Amino acid sequence: MGKLGRTAPASRRDDREPPKAGPPPESGPEAGRPSARRRALTLLKPRSVAGQVFLLQFVVVLLLIATAVVALVIQDRNRAIQEARDRSLVAAESFANAPGTAEAMQSDDPTAALQPHAEAVRKKTGVDYVVALSPYGFRWTHPDPDQIGKHVSASYNEALGGEPHQTTFDSSLGKAVDSTVAVFDDEGTAVGLVTVGVTVDKVTSVVQHQLPVIFTAGGLALLLAAGGSALVSGRLLRQTQGLGPVEMTRMYEHHDAVLHAVREGVIILDGDGKLVLVNDEARRLLTLPPQAEGKPVTELGLSPALAELLKSGRSATDQVFLAGDTLLAVNVRPVGQKGSSVATLRDTTELRALAGRADVAGGRLQLLYEASTRIGTTLDMKRTAEELTEVAVPRFADFATVELVEQVLRGDEPSGARLDMRRIAVAGVRQPAPFHPVGTLLRFVPDNPVAIGITTGQPVLVADLTTARAWQSQDPERAAKVIAQGIHSMISVPLQARGQLLGVVEFWRSEQNPFESDDLSPAEELAARAAVCIDNARRYTREHTTAVTLQRSLLPGVLPELSALEVGHRYLPAQAGVGGDWYDVIPLPGARVALVVGDVVGHGLHAAATMGRLRTAVHNFASLDLPPDELLAHLDDLITQIDEDAAAQGKTDAVTGATCLYAVYDPVSGRCVLARAGHPGPALVTPDGSVTFPDIPVAPPLGVGGGLPVETAELQLPADSRLVLYTDGLVETRDRDIDIGLGVLREALAQTEGASPDDTCEAVLDAMLRTRSGDDVALLVARTRLLDPDQIAEWEVPDDPAAVPRIRAEATRRLADWGLGEAAFTTELILSELVTNAIRYGASPIRLRLLHDRDSLICEVADGTSTSPHLRRAASTDEGGRGLFLVAQMSRRWGTRYTDRGKIIWAEQSLDSGAVADLGAFLMAEAEEL
């Protein structure tokens, strides 16, 4: 069905095509008949006036009879059509209003419910078809079952609105009438449509009952009319190229409606350039006179270029011409074979203005999109401000400047609106920009537009800087330079986040059009995005500063000066923040030194705090003089306990592991004992410059070892060797494997022959870290030294108290050789007490060793037992118990360390003059007390 009102079976669908024109009457085998007919009429033509009148009357009568017959037929035809319309409408409304029709259309299967009734109605009423449709145009019933369910693409809005829709059309069985009505439910909602069609021929014709004379007269009249009609019809068909009257009428109506309704001007010209047809829009656009048709296009007052194009008839596409104040886009296409052409004219003035505004809006959206992706790529306030200026220039402004509050730059919370700020970013299309440079502290006067914006929290637009006296009064000399550079307008927007003022951004224009009020919105958007990023960077700066301060406080400050080692050290925090890497150098008894490097998994305050706890624990364990393997085992227990405590408290930031390398170096023997738990092994640079990576047994990381034993390794280090300890951040990165990193480290160390530990650190960092590392880096370089044999004195002590005086005398002579006669008295007391205790309470072998180490003298007594003496304060009536108390008072420090075959009790004396004086005072006090 072409339309809803023309529903017909599929077999009738082709009858609405326009009739094809047959061969013209003058062609074919009967082409000579019209000429014979004309000759016969010529022979019968009377020569007298009466005959001519008679013939004329005869013709008139025949014409009247024919006219009567035609009028009767037409009247009968109209009556039949009307009756057909009534019959189809009655049938459609009856079916639509029949009980159960609406319910059937709302049922699950409308076709099953309606198809039998539709066919029964069609047969009983004699109509051609009864079709039920859904409100959306899908057939529920049809005489041809194959058409059921198919969609009808026709207009049925009138019927759905409640008004019956009727259409008369030509079908293969003759003229037919179609009526369409809607079916409504109880609520007045259209639930379907019913369309009924009937051919006019099925209605009883009155003409069939007329007298035979009328039929005869009508037939003669029709015969006469047929001859003339055939002649005229053939001529018309040739002139209209086969189009019938209906099609011609429809085409004319459509042509006229479209021609005058379109918003494009249409001009048709003949081959001579004369105007054949012009529509209303073309008249308006070109301001044509009322009688423009038939005139040459060159005489219509058009621009020469446009008139020449229209006259030429050549093809043109969207060529732009100016007609008065109107900008026209002209298209020309030639048609036919006689040089005719059709031109269309389109007013693009408003379209171009709209396109310009759309381009501006699109540019602003693109600007804001770029701002969202390019501003805030780092957590650095200065870089964020620079990114803001880079996005704004030159897309939005020609220059841009950013100032931040001093408190914000330090990472602190801003306090209120401040009119003094420091400039941190300047960008412009020309350099140098005529503004205060980066780093300048600016103090805005209260009436400055920038200050007004800071106070009110709203953006401020200065459309003309040359007349802005309040702005010029801030710095007249600088303002003159700015204006001299052609900068004419400015927008100042406060940078605010969480209701607090962080700073201000100014946008300046010199080459672009002055700022307008429409520019305030994108300026605010840019400032808002940047303010959030700057605030995030500020808070990160504060947290980072806090974490770095904490970490720096937990790391060793100034390392002690030692005779055993010369130490160089470096620590580099990660790019993303602080971590848990640390190092330490711990003096041990007997001039020995402990070297420690460790790494806590993770970054941030938690890792830094855990690192501090581990470093403190290492100091505590080292004070007990534990061997490296035992010390790491205790650290492993400590990390496990920390994790368990965190889990018991419901904390999710457990340590989850740490690594550590612990080494103890003895400058007397050159012996170095090392142990490591999950940590990279050290590098060793021998005095000849060769670099090796000693094989140190590795234990699991701390906290995940599960109680597995830790093994140690012993190295014999000659003097001037360099032991290099480091964390994994030095040799391993995301884009570099640890094996490659170790190779680079080997090459870097090989090129530092003879360098000091500090110089070695610098060379290693320069070679290993071309850019800022993503992980913490701790580096410790220790150059070994050996005590001179003349600084060491050793004696085998017999297990006899009588040997004590001899040992004391030999020790006194050695002190004299060292030039330490002033310390002889104190040393005699200390070694007498320690040797006597070893003989009395210890076991063989007993050995005494004196070490002269820079500003200290160390006395060590070793025996074969593991019983440790305890310090106590004896009562006045006790005969003993004062020995260790005296040793503790006369030495700087003392203690016990255990060996594989017993223990060593040691005491370290200070060799400065103040120590001897203190000893004398102490002895005097003890004597008075006794």
Side-chain angles (χ1 to χ4, degrees):
M1 285 189 303
K3 295 183 179 178
L4 182 61
R6 295 188 179 182
T7 305
S11 59
R12 302 195 205 172
R13 192 158 301 185
D14 298 335
D15 59 2
R16 274 178 254 172
E17 298 180 357
K20 296 181 179 179
E26 294 86 349
S27 62
E30 299 181 359
R33 291 185 180 180
S35 298
R37 204 176 283 120
R38 284 194 294 271
R39 287 194 298 268
L41 291 174
T42 302
L43 294 175
L44 295 176
K45 183 177 179 180
R47 296 181 181 272
S48 63
V49 175
Q52 292 178 3
V53 173
F54 175 80
L55 183 59
L56 178 60
Q57 292 177 346
F58 179 77
V59 172
V60 170
V61 171
L62 290 178
L63 291 176
L64 291 175
I65 294 174
T67 302
V69 172
V70 170
L72 182 61
V73 171
I74 293 174
Q75 181 179 2
D76 183 75
R77 194 66 170 177
N78 292 336
R79 185 197 59 79
I81 291 174
Q82 184 60 41
E83 185 174 344
R85 290 167 65 91
D86 295 339
R87 180 182 297 181
S88 64
L89 180 60
V90 169
E93 289 183 342
S94 299
F95 188 87
N97 297 324
T101 300
E103 290 77 9
M105 288 183 174
Q106 292 177 308
S107 65
D108 294 337
D109 190 359
T111 299
L114 296 173
Q115 177 70 4
H117 297 289
E119 287 302 300
V121 170
R122 181 180 65 84
K123 295 176 181 179
K124 184 176 294 185
T125 59
V127 298
D128 292 298
Y129 56 88
V130 178
V131 177
L133 303 172
S134 71
Y136 303 101
F138 292 93
R139 295 189 183 98
W140 283 330
T141 67
H142 198 280
D144 184 2
D146 293 338
Q147 300 299 318
I148 295 176
K150 294 184 178 181
H151 186 262
V152 177
S153 57
S155 175
Y156 40 82
N157 293 331
E158 182 179 354
L160 290 175
E163 293 293 332
H165 179 73
Q166 289 187 306
T167 303
T168 302
F169 61 95
D170 296 325
S171 68
S172 58
L173 300 180
K175 188 174 294 292
V177 177
D178 179 276
S179 297
T180 302
V181 297
V183 180
F184 298 90
D185 58 9
D186 295 338
E187 297 178 358
T189 302
V191 298
L193 300 163
V194 176
T195 177
V196 176
V198 60
T199 56
V200 177
D201 293 339
K202 290 191 174 183
V203 181
T204 303
S205 178
V206 178
V207 179
Q208 297 176 0
H209 303 287
Q210 297 299 321
L211 297 174
V213 176
I214 297 178
F215 283 106
T216 302
L220 294 174
L222 289 175
L223 182 61
L224 181 60
S229 296
L231 184 61
V232 175
S233 178
R235 188 177 182 88
L236 288 176
L237 288 175
R238 288 194 301 273
Q239 294 177 348
T240 61
Q241 299 182 355
L243 295 178
V246 176
E247 288 77 10
M248 288 291 294
T249 302
R250 184 182 299 116
M251 179 182 296
Y252 173 78
E253 292 174 350
H254 291 174
H255 168 270
D256 189 66
V258 171
L259 187 64
H260 296 285
V262 295
R263 293 198 59 186
E264 286 192 1
V266 179
I267 296 176
I268 301 178
L269 303 103
D270 60 14
D272 298 329
K274 293 182 178 180
L275 201 61
V276 177
L277 186 143
V278 58
N279 71 342
D280 297 340
E281 184 68 9
R283 292 181 186 276
R284 184 185 68 82
L285 295 175
L286 299 178
T287 319
L288 296 178
Q291 290 79 26
E293 289 85 346
K295 295 182 179 180
V297 71
T298 55
E299 300 178 1
L300 298 178
L302 306 180
S303 65
L306 177 57
E308 178 61 27
L309 175 64
L310 296 177
K311 180 182 178 181
S312 65
R314 65 177 183 272
S315 296
T317 302
D318 287 338
Q319 290 194 14
V320 179
F321 296 90
L322 186 63
D325 296 333
T326 305
L327 202 61
L328 298 179
V330 181
N331 294 272
V332 181
R333 293 293 183 271
V335 294
Q337 300 178 354
K338 297 181 180 181
S340 301
S341 61
V342 176
T344 60
L345 309 147
R346 185 172 66 255
D347 185 356
T348 62
T349 306
E350 295 181 1
L351 292 178
R352 287 181 178 261
L354 290 174
R357 289 195 291 269
D359 290 342
V360 172
R364 289 176 177 174
L365 289 177
Q366 183 64 27
L367 175 67
L368 296 179
Y369 171 76
E370 290 187 10
S372 65
T373 57
R374 292 178 55 187
I375 297 177
T377 59
T378 66
L379 288 173
D380 182 83
M381 286 182 285
K382 186 177 187 302
R383 181 56 192 154
T384 302
E386 292 173 349
E387 290 170 343
L388 170 59
T389 61
E390 291 169 1
V391 169
V393 177
R395 294 286 299 277
F396 181 69
D398 297 316
F399 296 90
T401 55
V402 179
E403 296 84 39
L404 294 183
V405 178
E406 288 281 358
Q407 294 172 312
V408 174
L409 289 173
R410 295 193 299 266
D412 299 333
E413 290 281 346
S415 57
R418 301 179 61 90
L419 299 182
D420 54 330
M421 299 182 184
R422 190 169 299 277
R423 178 158 291 166
I424 65 169
V426 177
V429 294
R430 297 187 303 273
Q431 293 296 335
F435 302 103
H436 290 287
V438 172
T440 304
L441 181 63
L442 302 177
R443 291 182 172 86
F444 300 103
V445 297
D447 58 345
N448 189 308
V450 178
I452 295 174
I454 293 174
T455 305
T456 62
Q458 299 296 323
V460 177
L461 168 64
V462 181
D464 188 358
L465 293 175
T466 60
T467 61
R469 303 304 177 194
W471 171 76
Q472 296 177 14
S473 63
Q474 171 79 32
D475 189 344
E477 182 179 354
R478 182 68 61 174
K481 292 181 180 180
V482 171
I483 295 174
Q485 290 270 345
I487 299 175
H488 48 67
S489 60
M490 178 265 287
I491 289 180
S492 173
V493 187
L495 295 172
Q496 301 179 95
R498 299 181 296 109
Q500 295 182 337
L501 178 69
L502 307 178
V504 65
V505 56
E506 298 94 5
F507 303 103
W508 314 79
R509 281 186 179 178
S510 61
E511 300 179 2
Q512 303 181 46
N513 294 329
F515 283 115
E516 300 176 349
S517 57
D518 291 342
D519 296 313
L520 291 174
S521 178
E524 285 186 282
E525 287 286 344
L526 287 175
R529 293 175 187 271
V532 172
C533 297
I534 290 174
D535 188 56
N536 291 338
R538 179 196 62 78
R539 291 191 288 178
Y540 169 78
T541 300
R542 181 185 60 189
E543 295 176 1
H544 180 72
T545 302
T546 302
V548 169
T549 302
L550 172 63
Q551 187 180 42
R552 294 295 185 186
S553 66
L554 296 175
L555 288 173
V558 179
L559 296 181
E561 294 185 6
L562 305 170
S563 59
L565 296 171
E566 180 186 358
V567 179
H569 58 90
R570 293 292 186 276
Y571 172 77
L572 297 179
Q575 184 176 11
V578 298
D581 292 13
W582 91 94
Y583 61 89
D584 213 339
V585 178
I586 306 173
L588 297 178
R592 295 171 304 131
V593 179
L595 303 175
V596 190
V597 173
D599 183 3
V600 176
V601 176
H603 294 87
L605 290 175
H606 178 69
T610 304
M611 176 269 290
R613 298 176 67 179
L614 289 180
R615 180 169 175 262
T616 302
V618 170
H619 270 270
N620 293 334
F621 294 144
S623 66
L624 299 176
D625 213 344
L626 297 177
D629 52 345
E630 292 185 21
L631 185 142
L632 292 183
H634 285 295
L635 284 182
D636 181 71
D637 293 339
L638 175 62
I639 293 293
T640 302
Q641 185 62 42
I642 292 174
D643 285 344
E644 290 177 355
D645 293 343
Q649 297 174 10
K651 298 180 179 178
T652 58
D653 53 350
V655 177
T656 66
T659 64
C660 184
L661 171 61
Y662 187 81
V664 176
Y665 174 69
D666 187 353
V668 176
S669 62
R671 176 171 168 263
C672 184
V673 181
L674 304 95
R676 61 176 176 144
H679 201 85
L684 177 62
V685 184
T686 58
D688 61 0
S690 61
V691 181
T692 60
F693 294 94
D695 185 14
I696 309 298
V698 60
L702 302 176
V704 296
L708 295 177
V710 180
E711 300 183 27
T712 61
E714 183 176 324
L715 302 177
Q716 192 67 35
L717 304 180
D720 205 29
S721 298
R722 282 174 289 168
L723 190 64
V724 182
L725 284 66
Y726 51 87
T727 56
D728 58 354
L730 180 69
V731 295
E732 185 177 15
T733 62
R734 292 181 179 179
D735 54 355
R736 184 176 65 192
D737 188 72
I738 187 171
D739 293 333
I740 299 176
L742 291 175
V744 177
L745 177 60
R746 183 193 301 272
E747 296 177 0
L749 291 173
Q751 298 175 3
T752 60
E753 184 176 358
S756 66
D758 273 332
D759 293 340
T760 303
C761 290
E762 290 295 333
V764 168
L765 293 179
D766 290 342
M768 301 295 295
L769 303 177
R770 301 296 183 186
T771 58
R772 186 79 175 271
S773 175
D775 194 7
D776 291 22
V777 175
L779 177 62
L780 191 64
V781 178
R783 174 180 289 180
T784 61
R785 297 170 180 163
L786 293 177
L787 292 183
D788 191 280
D790 292 339
Q791 296 177 269
I792 305 171
E794 293 185 278
W795 294 273
E796 293 286 344
V797 180
D799 189 9
D800 184 1
V804 173
R806 180 181 60 84
I807 298 298
R808 186 168 58 238
E810 293 180 1
T812 302
R813 286 193 296 271
R814 177 56 64 91
L815 292 177
D817 295 340
W818 288 343
L820 302 178
E822 295 181 358
F825 180 69
T826 304
T827 304
E828 287 181 7
L829 290 177
I830 292 175
L831 68 86
S832 296
E833 178 63 29
L834 296 182
V835 171
T836 301
N837 284 344
I839 294 174
R840 181 177 299 177
Y841 303 109
S844 297
I846 301 174
R847 294 181 61 83
L848 169 65
R849 186 171 73 171
L850 292 179
L851 300 176
H852 180 200
D853 181 18
R854 301 182 68 176
D855 63 344
S856 63
L857 179 66
I858 303 170
C859 178
E860 295 180 346
V861 177
D863 67 80
T865 65
S866 58
T867 303
S868 177
H870 296 282
L871 180 67
R872 68 185 182 89
R873 190 179 186 92
S876 59
T877 58
D878 291 343
E879 295 182 358
R882 295 178 178 87
L884 284 180
F885 181 75
L886 290 175
V887 170
Q889 294 297 320
M890 290 184 290
S891 61
R892 181 161 55 188
R893 55 178 182 160
W894 74 280
T896 303
R897 75 174 185 268
Y898 296 92
T899 63
D900 295 338
R901 298 181 180 179
K903 68 177 182 297
I904 296 174
I905 301 177
W906 57 272
E908 181 179 333
Q909 300 171 244
S910 177
L911 298 179
D912 56 14
S913 58
V916 178
D918 291 343
L919 174 61
F922 169 73
L923 293 177
M924 292 295 295
E926 285 292 320
E928 293 176 358
E929 184 178 346
L930 293 174

